[in-house]
Amino acid sequence: MSGEKMRNLCYLMLICVLFSSCSKRNPSLTIVTEEYPPLSYTENDSVKGYGTEIVQLIQRRIEDNAKINVMKWNEAYQLALSKPNIVIYTIEKTKEREGLFYWIGPIGSNETSVFIPRKKNIRINQFDDLKKFSSIATTTDWFTEEYLKIKGLNNLTSMPNPEDNVKMVMKGKSDATILTNVTYADIVKNAGYQVDDLKPVFHVMSSDFYIGISKLTDFKIVKKWKDAYDQMNQEGIIDSLQYKWKIK
């Protein structure tokens, strides 16, 4: 092999080594979310929402250009549990989930209640009264479903889309469903009903929601997201976005 060919070969090998090294130092992220207005939703082929805006502002600060992928929550959640370099939002931080992810936030708070059709006259005085229902419609892998399972309820009907839960209740196929105050109105409207068609009958829990990063992710990446969020929070950006999106 001639000296020139040898130099070209060595140059190509060096480029490959450098590219491989950079890829390992800066692995690409996959960002996942669900249709969950006003926190995340698609409109005119763009992903919008309160949580989305926070994620995009963090991306801008750390110069990350990963695309946001919208999918069913159970698919996004299982992906974040099993793969590295997954960013998932918005995700509720519970005792059971605490060790499963790195947490960026909190970016907001939820009040979770059980809802029934307004025309029904049912009183729920304590949690165990929920066992009297034949069926409570829940969303697959949502923190609300996880919580009810942990508390021993075996009368849950799991559906991948929250709008289907509302439809199940309004059509009499389930007795009740469980929703949060932040997203209740949008879910009911998207299901084709009026906000006043259901009513809360039992407050289940209060909780905070975050941006989550899968545990298998390099902590250097996590720290970039944490630092960017903390800086935004100190600058008052999180508060202003909460008022803009009427999260508070």
Side-chain angles (χ1 to χ4, degrees), residues 4-242:
E4 185 177 354
K5 287 184 177 179
M6 178 63 77
R7 283 194 300 273
N8 288 339
L9 179 60
C10 289
Y11 177 74
L12 287 172
M13 291 176 65
L14 178 61
I15 293 296
C16 289
V17 169
L18 288 174
F19 180 79
S20 175
S21 176
C22 288
S23 296
K24 289 178 181 178
R25 287 200 303 268
N26 301 293
S28 59
L29 292 174
T30 299
I31 303 178
V32 295
T33 189
E34 63 177 328
E35 291 285 356
Y36 195 45
L39 303 181
S40 53
Y41 61 94
T42 51
E43 183 177 281
N44 299 324
D45 296 324
S46 296
V47 187
K48 299 185 177 182
Y50 165 70
T52 301
E53 192 163 350
I54 292 177
V55 166
Q56 290 172 336
L57 287 173
I58 291 175
Q59 284 186 277
R60 196 175 304 162
R61 289 186 178 224
I62 66 175
E63 298 182 346
D64 176 81
N65 60 0
K67 177 187 174 184
I68 297 174
N69 303 276
V70 180
M71 58 186 70
K72 292 179 181 179
W73 177 256
N74 58 313
E75 295 172 353
Y77 185 67
Q78 292 304 320
L79 189 66
L81 282 176
S82 60
K83 301 292 183 182
N85 307 318
I86 306 295
V87 176
I88 183 171
Y89 74 97
T90 56
I91 180 168
E92 217 78 13
K93 185 178 182 181
T94 62
K95 180 180 177 182
E96 292 72 29
R97 288 178 173 177
E98 189 165 358
L100 300 179
F101 301 94
Y102 294 111
W103 301 92
I104 312 299
I107 63 173
S109 299
N110 271 326
E111 299 297 331
T112 300
S113 299
V114 172
F115 289 81
I116 65 171
R118 181 163 295 279
K119 294 179 180 180
K120 288 196 172 182
N121 186 22
I122 299 174
R123 175 172 288 186
I124 303 295
N125 296 314
Q126 56 187 356
F127 187 88
D128 281 350
D129 290 344
L130 299 177
K131 296 177 180 178
K132 299 176 183 178
F133 287 128
S134 298
S135 168
I136 300 176
T138 59
T139 304
T140 308
D141 284 338
W142 269 15
F143 76 98
T144 47
E145 181 180 83
E146 291 175 349
Y147 181 80
L148 296 182
K149 285 181 177 179
I150 290 168
K151 297 292 284 185
L153 295 189
N154 56 12
N155 55 347
L156 309 181
T157 301
S158 185
M159 305 285 286
N161 298 312
E163 292 84 5
D164 291 335
N165 295 331
V166 173
K167 292 175 184 177
M168 291 274 289
V169 171
M170 294 305 297
K171 292 177 180 179
K173 296 180 179 180
S174 285
D175 300 309
T177 190
I178 181 167
L179 298 166
T180 71
N181 62 312
V182 173
T183 57
Y184 167 80
D186 286 281
I187 290 172
V188 173
K189 289 176 183 176
N190 288 342
Y193 295 93
Q194 301 297 315
V195 173
D196 291 338
D197 287 342
L198 287 89
K199 63 181 179 182
V201 290
F202 186 73
H203 179 265
V204 176
M205 63 189 297
S206 303
S207 56
D208 296 325
F209 55 90
Y210 292 67
I211 299 164
I213 302 181
S214 56
K215 268 292 188 177
L216 298 173
T217 305
D218 187 337
F219 191 73
K220 291 179 182 177
I221 296 173
V222 178
K223 189 175 186 305
K224 284 185 178 181
W225 281 72
K226 280 181 175 288
D227 290 347
Y229 169 81
D230 289 343
Q231 187 177 20
M232 287 166 53
N233 194 32
Q234 290 170 7
E235 293 170 2
I237 293 173
I238 304 301
D239 279 341
S240 64
L241 288 176
Q242 287 181 346

